[in-house]
């Protein structure tokens, strides 16, 4: 056949017979046929597309369900085909007769709405129906396929029937998930058991194993990992050579916080097929979390030069060496990471190790390089503080003391703190902490203008610093600049979502702005985090008073 490859729409096959399983067999043979050609790719020479048919009750209530018998006439079938852009449509009916069970199929041309081929495929051996049907479709469309489309999916009928029935249970679980989660869970359990039964009947049934793996991978999306962990554990017991099963088992165990179990599964997977560098890196991180640095280091050394993960691996090796006190090795590993493209922020780690080793001149060079490359931000702020500590150790001690005084509000220490901070700014004008401390002192003194200036200077040096945003917002709120304050306090709350005080102040700013719903949301969050906080309670009391006034005004 010349020209474009034919596109065949496959309608879920119907069934006639006394056993409910026959409907599942028919529908899933159609589904398996589509997947068989999809797996073969362009080499198949034909593209198959499924037609999804779901019915609902006449009352329009309750969950949908798959149509059990679907054998449309040629005109209706052609309409289905046109809806999915197909050139042909395949329909069929499984007819169960104890003597001569058959699958009767029809091929319809979409443009003429006429049946062009009909065939009765013997189904006494159920596992042979799918490959026989695939071969017939290719012949009927005069396509010489280059793919193997004629191999049975299972070695015996028990395994194949179990596969089809389990796939049908999967569909039921999907359709019921939103409307009836309990029945959906029962259907999914049946599907998992059915696929394992198929594998017990035929340990080489790759299709059943693949379905278990796909369902396990999808379980993360539905928060259903534990159910699928059990199925993967059974799969690894029956087929211990499946690296994919061990790998997915590791992924699911990791997702539920079972670090040791995940490590064990990944180790089994690696023994069967070496992990990729990204997985080696992640496994090393799990070993670090499990306080097993030697095992972590062994994994990291497997990541080769040139890998996308080499820089991260060298960085972690540096951290392990630093933790052990092997400072020379730590510096070497960190510098290897930087040479391999690690973020320049890693220079802070290099500098810390060099400072501990007494190599302060080298540390200052590392920090100067970082500051030159990144003029603003948290990492640069940390670098400047380290440089300051090297150059002015006495002033750094003063900075610590002045900062405590500014935060705690000890009136006997405020004047001394202000003098210290002024000396520190004169020595190093780019320390955000010094400007932040001066801003706190100015706010306590009621000097909003000076406080705003100092807080904004701190934010220039470290944009989005949560404490500076919060304190500037509080100062502006007290000065009556509600809109500006609300934006700043909301930003601070978003950066510190677990700080009840930040959430409460953001809620109060929303209240002052007249945004009662937003205020309620923030104050409720704050109360959940700290039910005993008196300031939050006072804010909520004011909110409830205003809400009551609004309600009375509406009556």
């Amino acid at each position: 056949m010349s020209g474009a490859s034919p596109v065949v729409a496959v309608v879920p096959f119907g069934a006639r017979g006394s056993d409910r399983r026959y409907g599942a067999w028919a529908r899933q043979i159609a589904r398996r046929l589509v997947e068989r050609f999809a797996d073969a790719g362009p080499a198949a020479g034909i593209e198959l597309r499924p037609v999804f048919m779901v019915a609902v009750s006449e009352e329009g209530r309750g969950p949908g369900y798959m149509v059990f018998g679907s054998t449309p006439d040629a005109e209706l079938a052609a309409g289905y085909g046109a809806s999915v852009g197909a050139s042909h449509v395949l329909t069929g009916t499984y007819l169960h007769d104890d003597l001569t069970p058959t699958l009767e199929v029809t091929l319809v041309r979409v443009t003429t709405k006429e049946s062009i081929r009909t065939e009765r495929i013997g189904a006494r051996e159920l596992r042979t129906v799918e490959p026989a049907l695939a071969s017939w479709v290719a012949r009927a469309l005069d396509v010489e396929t280059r793919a193997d489309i004629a191999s049975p999916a299972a070695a015996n009928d028990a395994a194949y029937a179990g596969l089809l029935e389990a796939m049908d249970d999967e569909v039921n679980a999907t359709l019921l998930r939103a409307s009836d989660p309990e029945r959906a869970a029962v259907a999914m359990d049946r599907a998992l058991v059915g696929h394992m039964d198929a594998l017990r009947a035929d340990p080489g049934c790759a299709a059943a194993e693949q379905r278990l793996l796909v369902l396990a991978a999808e379980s993360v999306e539905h928060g259903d990992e534990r159910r699928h962990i059990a199925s993967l554990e059974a799969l690894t017991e029956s087929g211990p050579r499946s690296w994919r099963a061990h790998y997915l088992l590791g992924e699911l165990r990791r997702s539920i916080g079972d670090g040791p179990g995940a490590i064990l599964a990944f180790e089994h997977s690696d023994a069967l097929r070496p992990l990729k560098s990204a997985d080696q890196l992640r496994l090393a991180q799990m070993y670090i979390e499990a306080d097993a640095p030697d095992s972590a280091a062994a994994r990291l050394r497997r990541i080769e030069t040139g890998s996308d993960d080499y820089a991260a691996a060298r960085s972690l090796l540096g951290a392990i060496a630093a933790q052990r006190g092997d400072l020379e090795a730590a510096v070497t590993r960190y510098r290897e990471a930087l040479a391999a493209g690690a973020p320049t922020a890693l220079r802070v780690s290099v500098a810390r190790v060099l400072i501990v080793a007494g190599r302060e001149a080298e540390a200052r060079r590392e920090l100067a390089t970082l500051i030159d490359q990144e003029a603003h931000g948290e990492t640069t702020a940390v670098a400047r503080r380290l440089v300051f500590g090297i150059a002015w150790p006495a002033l750094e001690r003063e900075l610590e003391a002045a900062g405590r005084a500014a935060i705690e509000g000890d009136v006997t220490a405020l004047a001394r703190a202000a003098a210290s901070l002024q000396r520190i700014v004169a020595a190093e004008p780019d320390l955000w902490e010094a400007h932040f401390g001066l801003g706190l002192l100015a706010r306590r003194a009621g000097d909003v203008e000076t406080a705003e200036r100092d807080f904004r200077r701190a934010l220039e040096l470290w944009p989005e610093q949560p404490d500076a945003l919060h304190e500037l917002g509080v100062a502006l709120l007290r000065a009556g600049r509600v809109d500006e304050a609300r934006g700043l306090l909301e930003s601070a709350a978003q950066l510190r979502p677990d700080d009840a005080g930040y959430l409460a102040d953001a809620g109060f700013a929303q209240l002052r702005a007249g945004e009662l719903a937003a205020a309620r949301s923030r104050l409720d969050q704050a109360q959940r985090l700290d039910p005993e906080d008196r300031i939050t309670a006072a804010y909520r009391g004011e909110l409830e008073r205003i809400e009551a006034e609004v309600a009375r005004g509406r009556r």
Side-chain angles (χ1 to χ4, degrees):
M1 181 174 180
S2 60
S5 299
V7 177
V8 180
V10 180
V11 178
F13 300 157
R16 295 178 195 167
S18 58
D19 194 323
R20 292 184 62 186
R21 296 182 304 162
Y22 302 155
W25 295 355
R27 288 187 296 275
Q28 299 310 318
I29 287 172
R31 176 181 167 189
R32 283 281 314 153
L33 185 71
V34 173
E35 292 176 356
R36 178 176 286 261
F37 277 86
D39 291 343
I46 307 171
E47 181 184 352
L48 269 61
R49 296 177 183 172
V51 174
F52 296 104
M53 301 180 67
V54 178
V56 295
S57 63
E58 292 182 2
E59 295 83 4
R61 297 189 298 272
Y65 57 89
M66 291 296 295
V67 176
F68 273 79
S70 181
T71 51
D73 59 27
E75 185 172 355
L76 181 56
Y80 291 151
S83 70
V84 296
S87 59
H88 298 79
V89 182
L90 181 68
T91 66
T93 303
Y94 176 78
L95 306 167
H96 192 84
D97 182 304
D98 290 339
L99 295 176
T100 57
T102 59
L103 178 67
E104 185 176 286
V105 290
T106 300
L107 197 61
V108 177
R109 182 178 285 114
V110 171
T111 54
T112 62
K113 301 181 182 179
E114 295 176 342
S115 300
I116 58 171
R117 295 282 191 281
T118 298
E119 181 76 2
R120 292 174 68 90
I121 297 173
R124 181 169 292 281
E125 292 185 296
L126 186 63
R127 70 187 182 282
T128 66
V129 174
E130 181 190 325
L133 178 57
S135 298
W136 177 79
V137 169
R139 291 196 305 273
L141 293 172
D142 193 24
V143 172
E144 292 185 9
T145 178
R146 294 181 288 111
D148 178 12
I149 60 170
S151 297
N156 55 65
D157 279 3
Y160 188 65
L163 170 67
L164 298 178
E165 291 159 26
M167 290 175 66
D168 211 56
D169 282 323
E170 290 178 35
V171 175
N172 291 331
T174 299
L175 293 173
L176 290 165
R177 184 172 288 122
S179 61
D180 195 337
E182 290 185 6
R183 286 178 62 200
V186 170
M188 182 55 71
D189 284 338
R190 282 199 309 265
L192 298 177
V193 170
H195 285 310
M196 280 307 305
D197 287 344
L199 280 166
R200 291 187 184 98
D202 173 16
C205 184
E209 178 181 326
Q210 181 65 18
R211 291 310 309 160
L212 285 172
L213 296 177
V214 169
L215 293 171
E218 293 174 348
S219 70
V220 177
E221 179 182 348
H222 307 299
D224 198 23
E225 296 97 330
R226 293 184 187 277
R227 170 176 282 108
H228 293 267
I229 284 172
S231 74
L232 288 177
E233 288 172 343
L235 178 57
T236 56
E237 289 173 7
S238 65
R241 302 296 299 172
S242 173
W243 72 268
R244 290 182 178 87
H246 288 291
Y247 182 87
L248 263 178
L249 182 57
E251 288 282 11
L252 296 196
R253 284 174 173 170
R254 184 180 64 84
S255 72
I256 66 168
D258 179 8
I263 288 172
L264 181 62
F266 283 128
E267 287 284 6
H268 281 306
S269 179
D270 182 64
L272 295 166
R273 176 171 171 169
L275 294 171
K276 294 180 179 179
S277 63
D279 295 317
Q280 297 278 10
L281 182 64
R282 188 167 50 176
L283 182 53
Q285 290 168 329
M286 284 191 283
Y287 271 124
I288 291 172
E289 292 167 5
D291 196 23
D294 290 341
S295 297
R299 284 286 161 188
L300 294 168
R301 292 190 191 100
R302 297 188 187 189
I303 299 176
E304 299 178 353
T305 306
S307 163
D308 290 342
D309 302 290
Y310 180 76
R314 296 287 105 178
S315 177
L316 277 177
L317 282 169
I320 292 171
Q323 187 177 33
R324 289 171 170 167
D326 189 350
L327 304 184
E328 191 61 41
V331 170
T332 300
R333 298 291 89 79
Y334 282 144
R335 284 178 171 163
E336 288 172 350
L338 287 165
T344 191
L346 186 60
R347 294 188 186 277
V348 168
S349 298
V350 180
R352 290 187 192 279
V353 174
L354 290 169
I355 291 169
V356 172
R359 295 156 62 179
E360 294 182 346
E362 289 182 69
R364 293 186 69 165
R365 286 197 294 272
E366 291 287 349
L367 296 169
T369 300
L370 189 157
I371 294 168
D372 184 58
Q373 292 175 346
E374 296 184 16
H376 307 288
E378 179 178 3
T379 302
T380 308
V382 172
R384 286 196 173 104
R385 178 64 181 269
L386 289 173
V387 171
F388 179 71
I390 294 170
W392 308 92
L395 282 180
E396 186 180 37
R397 289 191 291 273
E398 283 194 43
L399 176 60
E400 291 287 343
R404 285 194 300 272
I407 292 171
E408 294 168 2
D410 181 358
V411 294
T412 62
L414 294 183
R416 186 167 61 254
S420 291
L421 291 172
Q422 291 292 354
R423 283 197 299 274
I424 290 164
V425 168
E428 175 48 77
D430 291 338
L431 280 181
W432 82 272
E433 297 98 321
H435 294 284
F436 179 72
L438 287 169
L440 286 176
L441 295 174
R443 184 171 67 76
R444 290 187 185 283
D447 185 351
V448 175
E449 183 178 349
T450 300
E452 179 180 1
R453 182 197 66 203
D454 287 321
F455 287 140
R456 290 197 185 281
R457 176 57 181 151
L459 287 168
E460 286 176 7
L461 294 165
W462 181 350
E464 297 191 346
Q465 207 291 325
D467 301 317
L469 287 168
H470 176 258
E471 293 299 337
L472 177 57
V474 170
L476 296 182
L477 188 63
R478 290 179 178 176
R481 293 159 64 180
V482 175
D483 287 340
E484 290 177 86
R486 181 173 57 145
L488 291 163
L489 291 170
E490 274 296 318
S491 296
Q494 289 168 12
L495 291 166
R496 293 270 177 82
D498 296 324
D499 189 311
Y502 280 35
L503 293 170
D505 285 342
F508 186 64
Q510 295 286 6
L511 176 61
R512 291 282 302 274
E515 300 292 339
L516 302 188
R520 168 67 64 181
S521 175
R522 283 302 192 198
L523 292 174
D524 285 349
Q525 290 173 327
Q527 186 180 50
R528 284 193 293 271
L529 288 170
D530 188 356
E532 305 302 321
D533 183 64
R534 287 179 295 178
I535 294 176
T536 300
Y539 289 163
R540 284 174 60 86
E542 179 67 9
L543 171 63
E544 289 164 4
R545 182 187 67 77
I546 294 173
E547 287 175 332
E549 289 182 358
V550 171
R552 284 195 297 271
R554 289 173 179 168
R555 287 200 292 268

